[in-house]
Amino acid sequence: MSNKVSCEIIKDMLPLYYDDVCSDESKRMVEEHLVGCHNCKNELDRLKADFKLPKEEIETIRNDSNVIKNISSFWNQSRIKSFMKGIIISALLFSLIIFGYFGLFNWQIISVSTDKVDIKNVSQLADSKIFYYAETNDGYSLDRLKYDMDKEGNFYITPLRPMIKQEAQPHNGFEKRYYFIDIKYQEKERGKEIKMIYYGTPKDKILIWEKGMDLPKVSEEIENMYYDGK
């Protein structure tokens, strides 16, 4: 069959044969012709050589491919890192908002100025308990009293509030009520003698009691209130 087909026809078909886009019958015809025709076989080799890329160009393409892969990998990693950073930052901001809100409204850290406090009816039980009536008169709530003592034996009762004050609710806080200090208990706990008791802070204080002070006995009403509450 190869003797019946001219080399010109085969050469025209070689690109299709090389690209493997010709029919099976044409492919068989070309291959039968190539068995006996060195010129057409050389033409096919030349065609293959023309489409074969140089080694340097192949390396360049491979390197470019690696660069693209590296860029893609870096991009994906960057997106993951950015996503994780976004989650962490969002969590931190959320935590700051929660803690900030909690701190502003709940952390009792601001002391109440003594010019807004009245101390009266200081009296004493026979067992060394000192009673006093404290009234905070600025209309805001008071929910915490801090007890502290310095090296000189000065005992401080400090009223504390959060940074954002809230209006006082009737019969729902420490704004207006009787308190007592058990001197013997506090001295035992702290291992030191109490010489003076103040309401406030070392820089802003009201004297409640000092050692040797002659105090009246608590009223029967307060004494009954105390023992009924025990």
Side-chain angles (χ1 to χ4, degrees):
M1 184 176 179
S2 61
N3 294 330
K4 296 180 182 180
V5 181
S6 67
C7 289
E8 294 300 323
I9 293 175
I10 296 299
K11 289 179 180 179
D12 289 340
M13 294 183 64
L14 283 179
L16 300 176
Y17 174 79
Y18 177 76
D19 290 335
D20 196 21
V21 294
C22 59
S23 66
D24 291 339
E25 184 177 353
S26 298
K27 183 177 181 181
R28 188 167 52 253
M29 180 181 67
V30 172
E31 291 174 346
E32 289 176 354
H33 182 86
L34 292 176
V35 172
C37 181
H38 293 291
N39 289 334
C40 289
K41 190 173 184 306
N42 291 335
E43 183 65 20
L44 178 62
D45 292 338
R46 187 189 65 77
L47 186 65
K48 290 179 180 179
D50 288 343
F51 282 93
K52 186 176 181 180
L53 294 173
K55 182 178 180 180
E56 295 79 5
E57 193 168 343
I58 293 175
E59 285 297 323
T60 300
I61 293 175
R62 184 181 292 114
N63 292 335
D64 290 344
S65 176
N66 290 334
V67 169
I68 293 173
K69 288 180 180 179
N70 291 336
I71 292 174
S72 177
S73 176
F74 176 77
W75 172 252
N76 290 332
Q77 291 177 6
S78 297
R79 291 179 65 187
I80 293 173
K81 289 179 179 178
S82 297
F83 179 72
M84 294 304 296
K85 286 180 180 178
I87 292 178
I88 293 172
I89 292 173
S90 298
L92 288 174
L93 288 175
F94 181 75
S95 299
L96 287 174
I97 291 172
I98 294 298
F99 282 116
Y101 177 85
F102 180 83
L104 290 174
F105 287 92
N106 294 279
W107 284 342
Q108 314 287 334
I109 57 176
I110 305 299
S111 62
V112 179
S113 175
T114 56
D115 62 1
K116 299 177 177 62
V117 177
D118 289 329
I119 303 293
K120 53 189 176 181
N121 298 339
V122 181
S123 53
Q124 184 172 5
L125 275 176
D127 58 358
S128 79
K129 293 182 177 66
I130 304 296
F131 279 77
Y132 65 96
Y133 185 84
E135 179 177 345
T136 305
N137 52 34
D138 62 354
Y140 293 104
S141 65
L142 178 64
D143 299 314
R144 182 190 173 198
L145 296 176
K146 177 185 175 184
Y147 297 90
D148 200 6
M149 185 173 177
D150 62 21
K151 296 179 180 179
E152 286 72 36
N154 297 311
F155 191 88
Y156 294 95
I157 305 166
T158 305
L160 296 174
R161 285 175 172 158
M163 295 182 68
I164 296 181
K165 298 179 291 186
Q166 299 180 8
E167 290 187 7
Q169 301 298 321
H171 313 294
N172 194 33
F174 294 167
E175 299 86 25
K176 300 178 181 181
R177 57 181 293 182
Y178 274 97
Y179 298 90
F180 75 89
I181 299 295
D182 189 333
I183 295 178
K184 287 184 178 179
Y185 173 79
Q186 292 293 342
E187 288 179 337
K188 182 179 178 181
E189 286 291 307
R190 300 171 189 276
K192 189 179 298 183
E193 182 184 29
I194 295 177
K195 296 180 180 179
M196 292 188 176
I197 299 177
Y198 292 101
Y199 192 91
T201 67
K203 294 183 178 180
D204 181 23
K205 58 195 176 184
I206 300 173
L207 177 65
I208 295 178
W209 172 89
E210 64 177 319
K211 192 172 182 64
M213 179 183 287
D214 187 18
L215 294 177
K217 183 182 176 181
V218 297
S219 66
E220 185 177 349
E221 178 185 1
I222 301 303
E223 187 171 359
N224 292 336
M225 184 188 304
Y226 168 72
Y227 284 112
D228 288 343
K230 292 181 67 175

